[in-house]
Amino acid sequence: MCVVHLGACGQASTDIDPELTRHSTQHAIAAADFSDRELKNLLGFQAVTPSSTIEPNVEPSVYKATEVLTALKFAYGRSAGITARHFDIDQDGAVTLRDAQQILQYAIQRIPIPENLTTLRATPTLFASSYQNMKSQGLPQLPLSDFTFALTSAWATGNFFGDGSTIVMLSKSNSIKCYLITGGIDQTCIGAPPRYIKDENRTEFKFYRLTKLLTLEDTGKSIPGCLTPRKALVADFNKDGHPDIFVACTGWDSPQIDGSFPQEANKLLINDGAGRGNFTVSDVGATDRHGDGAGYYHGASAADVDGDGYPDIVLTDNFRGPWDASSGQQIVFLMNQKTDPVTFKTDNNRVANRCMRREGTWPACPGPYFAVELIDVDGDGNFDIVAGGAEPGISNAYTAMADTIILYNDGRGYFGARATVITPDPTYPSVLDFTILEKTPGEKLVLIGRSYGGDDRSQSVQVFNVKTNIVTTPWIGQRPWVEWWLPAKINGVLGITPYANTRFAEVFIAP
């Protein structure tokens, strides 16, 4: 295992020494001067001269493009394969000082250049599953550190506007102010029953363009959302070739005065026929409990599980199972009906019944589940379920029975006849996220993002080897909460990093 803080595997994690930084940059410039002719030929364009207004004894902030190239090589630790195309970060068709300055910052800070910079130049791919659409785009960490308003954990990315650019949907919370420090909800925020939601407290789904400078530019597009978005899925639900969005929602995350948790339906955003981001928005959810589809939906994933070519949705509804035993298991499916407009049919019989009798007549079903993904774990071409939440021991046997588990697809879209329970972690028993990495052909690793117990006091990443069943914990950390982890490759090493630069931005975990 290797955990690095913006360094290569095997190197010690240290704070940047200003003297060493200047020394490193000077070495890079000296190397550029030494090989100036060769580098000019490689770049194929005229070198850019430094600014003439430089204070004495202060390193210039602008360097020749040839110097930047060598600085890039120096910082990145390799000399082959770097060409002029690596510099056009803003993709304006020219290598300019603006590009060069951005690249040079990596060299000055001795930070490896993310290999996924080049993959951002391609139009985002529309994959077959929402897991792939989140984890396989080669995304860098989302640049959220400059945002001045509260965001929920639901975000999505794709070619939503049809122009080939990477568009990121973020969820601006308008209800965070309603949660009192002393607990409960400010009653002035409460709407009319049965959902108790005022429109003014709904989240806004805001759309930003991810630039090649790794910044987010506001497109001005905003769509009213639900109260508490938990997770956003990207999939082509109507099979018109354009990315759509599904957002799992929970409703109020704190009980009302009477102790109830008012729930809400999820949001479905169907892209227009031209794929230009003119979404049609509707409410969807499991209708076997509430006619309007409301629930306390926490986890979600989308993929075609019954082989009809259309993405289906699996949800975790935390008010099924141990908190409402009569409603059965928490993992429920919305099966795509292949209609226009898009509709779904509730199916809560696709997962093998794992409810059991405990303490006499009290029926307990596994839960609560916070995370669920549809991933082909065993490589048979079928999507399996990977799920986790509050493992036994987090509270008591009645409210915490969510084994972290792989439920294998039987080939017909039914799950659980064959299952693997992953070793629980009593120190970090709340499961938030899953990432699958294949380090070598046939050797799949499930990387599990965990927290202490439903809060952000501490957290860990657990690694489960599917082939050997060996479990390790290569990383633990403190605040803040890391809801999602993204695959990344640094210096040729495959690992994961937090999804946003506000979440342990310096951490890279390579199992």
Side-chain angles (χ1 to χ4, degrees):
M1 302 292 175
C2 175
V3 181
V4 293
H5 294 255
L6 292 180
C9 289
Q11 295 177 347
S13 173
T14 60
D15 293 330
I16 297 172
D17 184 331
E19 291 299 323
L20 290 177
T21 300
R22 286 196 292 272
H23 185 66
S24 299
T25 307
Q26 288 165 359
H27 270 72
I29 294 172
D33 291 339
F34 181 77
S35 56
D36 186 67
R37 183 179 305 174
E38 174 194 350
L39 293 172
K40 280 182 181 178
N41 293 335
L42 179 61
L43 284 169
F45 63 91
Q46 290 263 327
V48 182
T49 30
S51 169
S52 57
T53 57
I54 301 174
E55 298 178 16
N57 301 320
V58 176
E59 280 198 342
S61 58
V62 177
Y63 298 86
K64 293 187 298 183
T66 52
E67 296 169 350
V68 174
L69 179 61
T70 302
L72 171 57
K73 291 180 178 180
F74 183 89
Y76 198 24
R78 72 181 193 185
S79 58
I82 302 296
T83 62
R85 67 183 178 83
H86 289 79
F87 283 100
D88 189 13
I89 303 302
D90 56 9
Q91 205 176 8
D92 62 358
V95 180
T96 63
L97 282 178
R98 184 183 183 193
D99 298 307
Q101 287 171 315
Q102 291 295 317
I103 291 291
L104 187 60
Q105 291 307 307
Y106 288 99
I108 290 175
Q109 298 177 56
R110 301 196 302 162
I111 297 173
I113 300 297
E115 291 183 16
N116 49 27
L117 276 180
T118 55
T119 65
L120 283 173
R121 291 176 173 78
T123 299
T125 300
L126 184 55
F127 290 100
S129 72
S130 62
Y131 171 85
Q132 293 171 296
N133 286 322
M134 173 189 276
K135 304 265 188 174
S136 300
Q137 297 289 4
L139 286 171
Q141 290 181 333
L142 296 181
L144 305 184
S145 57
D146 293 332
F147 279 73
T148 57
F149 50 79
L151 296 170
T152 77
S153 57
W155 62 276
T157 185
N159 182 25
F160 297 129
F161 294 174
D163 59 1
S165 63
T166 299
I167 301 298
V168 178
M169 185 206 80
L170 299 175
S171 303
K172 176 188 176 185
S173 174
N174 291 319
S175 64
I176 191 70
K177 63 182 183 301
C178 297
Y179 292 96
L180 303 175
I181 297 177
T182 55
I185 303 170
D186 182 343
Q187 294 302 296
T188 63
C189 293
I190 301 301
R195 301 296 165 225
Y196 301 97
I197 298 171
K198 291 182 177 180
D199 286 343
E200 65 194 62
N201 294 325
R202 293 183 181 275
T203 293
E204 296 174 56
F205 298 147
K206 298 176 66 67
F207 292 79
Y208 297 83
R209 181 170 282 102
L210 182 63
T211 73
K212 304 310 171 182
L213 298 177
L214 304 185
T215 60
L216 290 174
E217 293 180 348
D218 193 344
T219 67
K221 188 174 189 61
S222 179
I223 297 174
C226 55
L227 183 76
T228 309
R230 290 290 186 180
K231 186 179 182 183
L233 314 178
V234 176
D236 184 7
F237 290 108
N238 58 358
K239 300 299 290 182
D240 64 354
H242 306 303
D244 309 308
I245 304 172
F246 174 91
V247 183
C249 307
T250 62
W252 287 109
D253 201 22
S254 187
Q256 300 299 301
I257 294 177
D258 62 1
S260 67
F261 280 77
Q263 298 151 50
E264 64 178 327
N266 308 293
K267 292 293 182 181
L268 179 66
L269 286 65
I270 298 296
N271 212 331
D272 64 271
R276 300 300 182 186
N278 298 310
F279 293 97
T280 299
V281 184
S282 60
D283 290 346
V284 294
T287 55
D288 58 332
R289 294 181 60 233
H290 300 290
D292 62 358
Y296 194 89
Y297 303 107
H298 208 297
S301 191
D304 175 19
V305 301
D306 59 359
D308 65 1
Y310 283 71
D312 308 298
I313 299 170
V314 62
L315 292 165
T316 65
D317 180 355
N318 289 168
F319 279 85
R320 297 169 185 260
W323 291 340
D324 184 2
S326 63
S327 61
Q329 301 198 96
Q330 290 190 4
I331 299 176
V332 61
F333 275 88
L334 301 183
M335 303 303 294
N336 197 322
Q337 298 301 289
K338 303 187 295 184
T339 55
D340 183 14
V342 178
T343 58
F344 296 91
K345 181 180 179 180
T346 302
D347 189 339
N348 61 1
N349 294 309
R350 287 191 171 267
V351 177
N353 193 327
R354 294 168 51 238
C355 299
M356 63 187 70
R357 295 273 176 181
R358 298 176 64 90
E359 298 295 329
T361 61
W362 197 87
C365 299
Y369 278 104
F370 305 141
V372 64
E373 293 290 359
L374 290 168
I375 309 170
D376 182 7
V377 178
D378 56 5
D380 65 354
N382 300 308
F383 291 102
D384 307 305
I385 292 175
V386 186
E391 289 180 332
I394 188 173
S395 175
N396 55 57
Y398 301 116
T399 59
M401 291 186 58
D403 289 328
T404 304
I405 195 167
I406 302 171
L407 302 168
Y408 293 98
N409 192 328
D410 67 355
R412 300 178 300 115
Y414 292 87
F415 304 83
R418 182 166 62 97
T420 298
V421 176
I422 297 173
T423 304
D425 185 341
T427 306
Y428 303 96
S430 285
V431 173
L432 307 178
D433 182 51
F434 297 101
T435 305
I436 298 285
L437 297 182
E438 191 166 6
K439 299 284 289 194
T440 59
E443 183 185 16
K444 289 187 178 180
L445 306 176
V446 181
L447 280 69
I448 306 167
R450 292 175 170 272
S451 79
Y452 167 76
D455 59 37
D456 64 354
R457 279 180 284 176
S458 61
Q459 54 202 298
S460 72
V461 169
Q462 182 188 51
V463 178
F464 173 73
N465 188 308
V466 176
K467 185 176 182 179
T468 65
N469 288 343
I470 294 175
V471 172
T472 57
T473 302
W475 179 81
I476 59 173
Q478 298 298 316
R479 300 172 185 270
W481 191 308
V482 180
E483 300 97 321
W484 318 113
W485 295 83
L486 292 178
K489 185 180 284 188
I490 295 180
N491 288 344
V493 178
L494 184 63
I496 59 172
T497 191
Y499 76 104
N501 62 1
T502 55
R503 302 288 194 269
F504 292 104
E506 76 282 3
V507 171
F508 172 72
I509 303 169

